[in-house]
Amino acid sequence: MHQQQSGGNTTLNQDVVYLNDILDTVLFNEGGEELLETVKYFRKLSKALRDEASPSNFDQLNQEIMKLAPELRNKVIRAFSVNLQLYNIAEQNYRIRRRREYQMEDDTIIQPRSLEAGVNELFNHDITIDQVEKALEDLSLELVITAHPTEATRRTMLRIHQRIADLLKQWEFSYTRYDKKVIQEEIETEMTILWQTAEIREKKPSVMKEVSNGLYFFDKVLFNVLPVLHQDLEDLLYEKYSHRFHVPAFLRFGSWIGGDRDGNPNVTAKITYKTLKEQRALVLTKYMESIDKLKEKLSQSSKKVDVSEALLTSIEKDKAELNYRGWHKADEAYRVKLGMVMRRLRLTSEDQPGAYMDAHALTEDLLLIQDSLENHQPKSNPIKILRHTIRQVQLFGFHLATLDVRNHSGEHEATITEILRQVGISTDYKSLSEGEKQHVLIKVLQDPRPLISIYDEFSDASQEMIETFRTIKLAKDTFGERAIEVYLISMAEAVSDLLEVLVLAKEVGLYRVYPDGHVKSRLHVAPLLETIDDLKNGPSIIKRLFDIPLYRKHIEARGDSQEIMLGYSDGSKDGGNLTANWELYKAQEDIHSTASSYGVKLKFFHGRGGSLGRGGGPLYSSLLSQPPITLGDGVKITEQGEVLSSRYLIPDIAYRSLEQATSVLLTSIAGIKQTEKHREMPSDEAKDAMGYISDVSLKKYQDLVFNDDQFLSYFNQGTPLNELGALNIGSRPMKRKGSNRFEDLRAIPWVFAWTQSRQLIPAWYAAGTGLQAYLDETGNIQLLREMYQQWPFFRATINNLQMALTKADLDIADAYTDMIDDQDMAVRIFNDIREEHKKTKAVVLQIAQQDDLMDHQPNIKESVRLRNPLVDPLNLIQVQLVNRLRQVEEDSEEFSELLGEVLLTINGIAAGLRNTG
């Protein structure tokens, strides 16, 4: 297999060369000899800069950039940006090819972390049928797409990427010169269109545009990939165990788009309802497409096969109710029934009489057909297209994706304060102590009478809040309980923050205490713990919450289940990546232990971003790094921004990412560990070591970020932070409250700006000081190596540091210090950053016992090496442009032109580094 993988690398290089040759043709057609030769020359200079890192090469490249005329410079930026986009396409094609090569081998060579590998692992570790059934019962993974503004590429361009990827795959499987010629012409056409398409959004997308962008992934990929994954797992288990397991709908996708109103005034109650209507419209359309395919296939005649009486009875009932024959040939009973199903789906989409009451009714109709087919279809070969459709309905219902609603705790408090003042319960609720707040809220919740009526008038903000809760109830009544299941509270710091939401839920009928004491609750209320302090206080908040009898009854009404969201972004911004991840790990263990003592199942919702500084990395790796004890109650993870297009734009890539996550989660829940040593880790000694490293790292990080008075100036001037706002990549403002305070800067632009300047500080800074301090204190390198080998959390931490240190390039980053006014300050802070990078690299390599960073993942190491010469010129151009931009008047034509070019460099660098925020 190693030989094949080597051959695969060769093929990747061939794909890159093939696409580059076509690009060069396009560059010549669009910009003539001058553009093509300039780009080739810059490629050569940039490669030399990497091969021979001498100041003269660096200076020469900078000098050549300065000589560029504006029109040519614009085209050069676009050429390198497109070059990087094409490299991404070639790399994705390589991943697909690698999976195919494994599948061509016999069953002794299986791709790691595939579904097949996971099932084999269960079988080889003597996991019994009963144990597998229990693991399947506990298996639950929900991935939530968000509109976090980190996808710099327009959807129009992503579609072109998808078409080029499809053509590249076709080219690989074409065998005649004619076919190859035709495909090459089509690729050139798509590249030309790509070149001629505007890269930058002219205005921020509306929330409904973001909704449309999110629905694209369901429409084109997820609606089909998810059922296939479930069916494949069922089949693989059957092949290994000779037992037909019931595989539940364990893998679902949810959404925040249209529901997340924290800091985004554009998300209103009306927008939320409109979002759910769009989701239902799409899912009903997809069902109608699936029913059409079934109708075409299931042509069996009752003259040839025995159709069940139950199905025939249901057909007669449908005819009477719908006054419709279903199909012109009465003996083709399945087509008749499917015609009835199609009619009911259309009536459902039009909200007309005869519509399905819910998705369960549609499932029952399809199961009638399946039961009848089993009378005459071989059991060893069921009709999978029907199973596929049934699974789609089980997964997507009539709502498509569960929409989470989120808002800031302060917004709820303001509304409750106004309501309680207006009804005479408290003149100034906001000023009460936490104990007094809880007393007031519990008393309100125990009273079955509502506080407000539809005739009461409140401020616009409070009225919107009340309308949001009314919309949640309407959505559940209209689209089903799964349409909205969770209300998330940002900056939840106290018990009262959750009780306030329950009061608002009570006012619209989502929560009620009956005279006999029993509670009805239709909505999960979930705190979001995001700062370091929140994470440390989380266990005590949860304990105090569960000690309230009334809240405990709410939990019982929700199936003895509590969801808690963990934020990776703000904790990392406040305390550095290493400390934030350690506090997250400890909080999960402590909160899970607390919940277990109350008999409550706890689902953790991981608010990860795409970048390493916001908890990013492969999906399977994020699962492996969690405390194993927390995985059995269900896992929920955000999928944000550029992660959506990198994982879910192409079906084969989507399948691979999801099968990795499924395989890892299934085997973890089943309790499989590689060795007894893995069961012993983390030991108390390892936890103590991690605590020491974290404490030292936190101090180092905060000394720079919070205690250095000049640091914010370094950040604001030495990165393109201020220019990012013009990129128009999200409907949400870049800063909370329009403030210029560091505390109100969102974590996404914080990470985005550092990534652009190639420093990536949020992903690695201060970790080296913490690790080295532990070694200086104890000399116990052996323990850290054992932790790396045997503790998935620590291994993921060290490997993520390797990735961050590899992507960070301080020689290029040094150029960004030219943008800072105070050069003494710039040199001082940058030297500290450079020294910390050097220290972190050295200690990481010592722990991992490697000669160079990323030696454990040579494919990724090679990818970064090949990308750098294409990214470097964009960074150097960006520095020169930003310097010039900040010296001209904002209302001038030159400013507008320069800003446009800066935004092009931002897009190109984002494509090259494969993540933004």
Side-chain angles (χ1 to χ4, degrees):
M1 196 66 222
H2 290 302
Q3 288 180 343
Q4 285 207 346
Q5 285 186 337
S6 174
N9 269 319
T10 301
T11 313
L12 169 61
N13 292 333
Q14 288 172 348
D15 285 349
V16 170
V17 171
Y18 175 72
L19 291 175
N20 277 356
D21 286 345
I22 300 175
L23 173 62
D24 285 353
T25 301
V26 172
L27 293 179
F28 180 80
N29 292 340
E30 296 295 317
E33 192 77 27
E34 181 185 30
L35 174 60
L36 178 59
E37 291 306 315
T38 302
V39 169
K40 283 184 173 181
Y41 182 50
F42 273 42
R43 284 177 190 155
K44 181 180 174 183
L45 281 179
S46 189
K47 189 172 184 304
L49 178 62
R50 288 285 167 178
D51 294 342
E52 309 162 27
S54 70
S56 60
N57 288 336
F58 186 88
D59 291 341
Q60 187 179 359
L61 184 53
N62 249 330
Q63 289 297 322
E64 294 299 330
I65 289 169
M66 286 181 188
K67 293 178 187 175
L68 291 174
E71 186 179 352
L72 181 58
R73 182 179 61 217
N74 185 293
K75 291 178 180 178
V76 168
I77 295 169
R78 295 178 63 212
F80 276 95
S81 181
V82 171
N83 217 156
L84 286 161
Q85 293 166 38
L86 296 176
Y87 187 93
N88 292 343
I89 292 168
E91 199 166 66
Q92 285 185 318
N93 195 52
Y94 168 60
R95 287 185 63 197
I96 295 168
R97 185 187 298 114
R98 228 177 9 162
R99 179 167 173 260
R100 207 162 52 236
E101 286 172 354
Y102 273 107
Q103 292 170 334
M104 289 165 63
E105 295 290 332
D106 61 40
D107 60 7
T108 62
I109 301 174
I110 295 169
Q111 189 167 20
R113 292 182 293 274
S114 62
L115 282 182
E116 189 174 6
V119 169
N120 284 355
E121 209 174 332
L122 294 176
F123 189 80
N124 295 337
H125 281 79
D126 300 320
I127 303 298
T128 66
I129 287 176
D130 288 345
Q131 288 173 317
V132 173
E133 285 180 337
K134 178 66 170 68
L136 289 172
E137 188 181 311
D138 292 340
L139 188 63
S140 174
L141 176 60
E142 186 177 355
L143 301 171
V144 181
I145 67 171
T146 79
H148 282 67
T150 62
E151 174 58 86
T153 310
R154 290 180 61 206
R155 191 175 76 176
T156 297
M157 299 188 75
L158 291 175
R159 284 176 169 172
I160 300 172
H161 294 173
Q162 188 176 28
R163 293 198 294 268
I164 293 173
D166 289 343
L167 287 167
L168 189 59
K169 192 174 173 181
Q170 289 175 33
W171 181 78
E172 186 180 345
F173 286 100
S174 61
Y175 297 104
T176 69
R177 281 180 288 118
Y178 175 79
D179 288 343
K180 287 188 179 293
K181 172 178 170 291
V182 169
I183 291 168
Q184 181 163 329
E185 288 170 350
E186 289 185 42
I187 292 175
E188 185 179 327
T189 298
E190 291 294 347
M191 276 194 206
T192 302
I193 294 169
L194 183 66
W195 180 265
Q196 295 172 352
T197 299
E199 302 94 330
I200 307 299
R201 298 175 181 90
E202 293 184 356
K203 60 182 180 180
K204 283 184 175 292
S206 66
V207 177
M208 291 315 297
K209 178 64 176 175
E210 290 176 328
V211 169
S212 174
N213 289 343
L215 291 181
Y216 178 82
F217 297 100
F218 287 93
D219 184 13
K220 301 301 181 185
V221 177
L222 298 174
F223 194 73
N224 285 314
V225 167
L226 263 62
V228 170
L229 190 83
H230 283 79
Q231 186 62 55
D232 286 353
L233 179 57
E234 190 174 299
D235 290 346
L236 287 163
L237 285 167
Y238 179 73
E239 289 168 13
K240 208 69 186 175
Y241 282 88
S242 300
H243 174 82
R244 184 62 71 178
F245 291 92
H246 168 65
V247 175
F250 67 87
L251 177 56
R252 301 181 190 273
F253 272 73
S255 177
W256 273 18
I257 310 176
D260 180 16
R261 59 240 312 123
D262 178 20
N264 191 347
N266 302 303
V267 180
T268 62
K270 288 181 179 177
I271 287 290
T272 296
Y273 195 74
K274 190 175 180 182
T275 296
L276 290 165
K277 287 180 71 175
E278 291 285 320
Q279 290 185 183
R280 186 176 79 154
L282 175 60
V283 80
L284 291 176
T285 298
K286 299 301 288 184
Y287 289 151
M288 286 187 259
E289 290 174 4
S290 295
I291 298 302
D292 257 342
K293 290 175 184 174
L294 280 172
K295 228 170 129 180
E296 186 177 331
K297 191 175 189 72
L298 301 184
S299 58
Q300 294 95 328
S301 169
S302 57
K303 297 173 184 177
K304 302 279 188 180
V305 298
D306 291 329
V307 178
S308 73
E309 282 300 319
L311 180 63
L312 294 173
T313 301
S314 78
I315 288 173
E316 292 307 312
K317 184 182 175 186
D318 286 340
K319 284 180 179 177
E321 285 185 15
L322 300 175
N323 190 27
Y324 179 60
R325 290 175 58 197
W327 183 247
H328 64 278
K329 282 178 63 63
D331 64 305
E332 294 180 351
Y334 300 128
R335 284 178 163 174
V336 173
K337 181 62 181 177
L338 289 166
M340 302 296 186
V341 170
M342 183 69 85
R343 173 59 63 94
R344 287 196 189 275
L345 284 171
R346 288 208 175 96
L347 292 171
T348 304
S349 69
E350 297 163 1
D351 292 320
Q352 295 293 318
Y356 281 115
M357 290 295 294
D358 52 33
H360 180 71
L362 171 58
T363 305
E364 289 297 309
D365 271 351
L366 295 173
L367 287 173
L368 275 175
I369 297 173
Q370 181 175 271
D371 291 344
S372 180
L373 281 167
E374 287 177 355
N375 293 333
H376 53 80
Q377 183 71 17
K379 285 184 169 52
S380 60
N381 186 25
I383 295 179
K384 288 189 177 178
I385 186 175
L386 176 57
R387 287 177 174 237
H388 185 88
T389 304
I390 292 169
R391 182 69 75 178
Q392 285 173 329
V393 181
Q394 292 169 342
L395 285 165
F396 300 106
F398 281 172
H399 63 291
L400 184 68
T402 298
L403 188 68
D404 287 349
V405 175
R406 179 176 76 139
N407 211 337
H408 195 282
S409 59
E411 302 293 325
H412 310 129
E413 184 183 63
T415 299
I416 292 292
T417 298
E418 186 174 348
I419 290 172
L420 295 180
R421 182 171 59 246
Q422 188 154 319
V423 299
I425 290 178
S426 174
T427 55
D428 190 10
Y429 165 83
K430 190 174 183 178
S431 67
L432 297 178
S433 69
E434 173 61 20
E436 290 169 329
K437 285 179 180 178
Q438 290 181 32
H439 177 76
V440 169
L441 295 168
I442 290 170
K443 191 172 180 181
V444 169
L445 286 167
Q446 288 172 330
D447 188 343
R449 295 170 299 178
L451 291 174
I452 60 177
S453 78
I454 58 173
Y455 304 106
D456 289 329
E457 294 183 0
F458 299 96
S459 66
D460 289 347
S462 293
Q463 193 62 46
E464 175 60 32
M465 179 68 72
I466 294 165
E467 286 304 318
T468 294
F469 280 84
R470 287 174 178 157
T471 296
I472 293 171
K473 182 176 185 300
L474 177 62
K476 292 172 85 70
D477 293 342
T478 305
F479 306 114
E481 285 297 319
R482 281 169 51 201
I484 297 176
E485 291 187 327
V486 183
Y487 193 102
L488 290 151
I489 308 163
S490 298
M491 290 297 169
E493 298 171 342
V495 168
S496 61
D497 291 331
L498 281 82
L499 297 180
E500 287 164 4
V501 171
L502 275 186
V503 168
L504 292 167
K506 168 183 173 284
E507 289 307 303
V508 301
L510 288 167
Y511 173 92
R512 186 178 178 187
V513 178
Y514 288 87
D516 63 1
H518 90 271
V519 167
K520 176 185 177 183
S521 185
R522 298 175 65 187
L523 190 66
H524 284 297
V525 179
L528 167 51
L529 309 177
E530 38 197 335
T531 67
I532 298 291
D533 287 341
D534 288 346
L535 293 170
K536 288 181 175 178
N537 296 331
S540 62
I541 293 173
I542 296 305
K543 186 179 188 309
R544 289 197 297 272
L545 198 61
F546 288 178
D547 279 336
I548 298 172
L550 181 138
Y551 190 84
R552 189 67 188 83
K553 288 184 177 180
H554 155 71
I555 293 289
E556 288 173 8
R558 298 302 300 164
D560 276 321
S561 177
Q562 172 72 50
E563 183 170 311
I564 293 176
M565 185 171 184
L566 303 170
Y568 284 68
S569 303
D570 284 294
S572 178
K573 178 170 158 261
D574 292 345
N577 200 31
L578 187 142
T579 297
N581 281 314
W582 176 233
E583 292 298 336
L584 283 160
Y585 189 94
K586 288 195 300 178
Q588 287 181 75
E589 284 196 324
D590 293 344
I591 294 171
H592 187 275
S593 176
T594 301
S596 294
S597 69
Y598 287 85
V600 175
K601 292 176 290 187
L602 205 63
K603 177 190 277 191
F604 283 113
F605 181 8
H606 302 273
R608 291 174 171 269
S611 65
L612 296 169
R614 295 182 55 242
L619 185 55
Y620 74 85
S621 178
S622 69
L623 291 168
L624 278 174
S625 62
Q626 308 310 322
I629 197 171
T630 67
L631 299 177
D633 293 335
V635 180
K636 195 170 168 182
I637 301 176
T638 52
E639 295 282 58
Q640 304 178 8
E642 77 281 1
V643 170
L644 289 175
S645 58
S646 66
R647 286 185 187 154
Y648 306 116
L649 186 68
I650 297 172
D652 287 323
I653 298 292
Y655 184 98
R656 178 60 182 148
S657 178
L658 295 173
E659 79 161 341
Q660 287 177 317
T662 300
S663 179
V664 163
L665 192 56
L666 180 60
T667 53
S668 296
I669 291 171
I672 294 172
K673 300 291 180 186
Q674 290 180 340
T675 66
E676 188 64 36
K677 285 185 177 180
H678 281 74
R679 272 186 276 270
E680 296 168 0
M681 191 63 77
S683 62
D684 289 342
E685 187 182 14
K687 288 183 176 181
D688 288 344
M690 197 64 221
Y692 182 93
I693 293 164
S694 173
D695 289 345
V696 175
S697 178
L698 175 63
K699 184 178 184 308
K700 172 70 175 175
Y701 178 86
Q702 293 190 335
D703 279 348
L704 175 66
V705 176
F706 291 99
N707 300 331
D708 190 318
D709 293 340
Q710 294 182 307
F711 175 75
L712 265 186
S713 295
Y714 177 91
F715 171 59
N716 285 322
Q717 294 179 25
T719 71
L721 173 71
N722 297 319
E723 289 72 27
L724 290 176
L727 202 52
N728 293 327
I729 57 177
S731 66
R732 193 171 72 162
M734 193 167 75
K735 297 181 180 180
R736 293 181 177 93
K737 311 170 190 172
S739 163
N740 286 321
R741 297 191 317 150
F742 177 75
E743 290 80 2
D744 292 323
L745 175 68
R746 294 189 184 278
I748 288 171
W750 163 253
V751 172
F752 203 151
W754 286 120
T755 304
Q756 286 285 309
S757 69
R758 304 291 290 276
Q759 295 177 68
L760 278 78
I761 279 178
W764 63 269
Y765 185 82
T769 291
L771 291 164
Q772 189 59 51
Y774 175 80
L775 289 179
D776 292 344
E777 179 72 19
T778 68
N780 196 352
I781 184 64
Q782 188 57 36
L783 174 64
L784 297 186
R785 286 174 177 170
E786 287 174 7
M787 289 162 63
Y788 179 71
Q789 292 298 326
Q790 299 165 19
W791 186 9
F793 164 78
F794 191 72
R795 185 175 185 84
T797 299
I798 295 298
N799 286 345
N800 283 342
L801 284 172
Q802 291 201 56
M803 175 66 85
L805 292 166
T806 300
K807 286 191 172 184
D809 190 297
L810 296 196
D811 288 332
I812 295 297
D814 194 7
Y816 281 80
T817 60
D818 290 343
M819 304 193 306
I820 299 170
D821 295 335
D822 186 340
Q823 279 296 294
D824 289 339
M825 173 267 284
V827 170
R828 177 181 63 80
I829 292 179
F830 183 75
N831 283 344
D832 172 71
I833 292 169
R834 188 188 284 278
E835 188 58 36
E836 182 66 17
H837 186 276
K838 182 180 176 183
K839 180 185 293 185
T840 307
K841 177 180 177 180
V843 71
V844 162
L845 290 177
Q846 196 178 355
I847 293 166
Q849 295 178 276
Q850 295 173 193
D851 294 328
D852 200 4
L853 295 170
M854 299 305 294
D855 278 349
H856 67 296
Q857 287 187 303
N859 286 337
I860 296 177
K861 179 181 178 181
E862 179 68 2
S863 172
V864 174
R865 188 187 71 80
L866 292 173
R867 287 167 187 277
N868 278 334
L870 298 174
V871 181
D872 294 347
L874 293 173
N875 282 113
L876 298 179
I877 293 172
Q878 184 180 89
V879 169
Q880 291 188 22
L881 288 172
V882 171
N883 265 329
R884 213 172 302 176
L885 179 71
R886 292 175 180 177
Q887 294 169 9
V888 301
E889 295 293 330
E890 286 194 22
D891 57 357
S892 67
E893 185 178 341
E894 185 184 3
F895 181 91
S896 178
E897 290 173 355
L898 287 170
L899 179 60
E901 288 187 78
V902 170
L903 299 181
L904 287 175
T905 64
I906 291 173
N907 261 1
I909 294 166
L913 298 182
R914 293 305 300 271
N915 53 43
T916 48

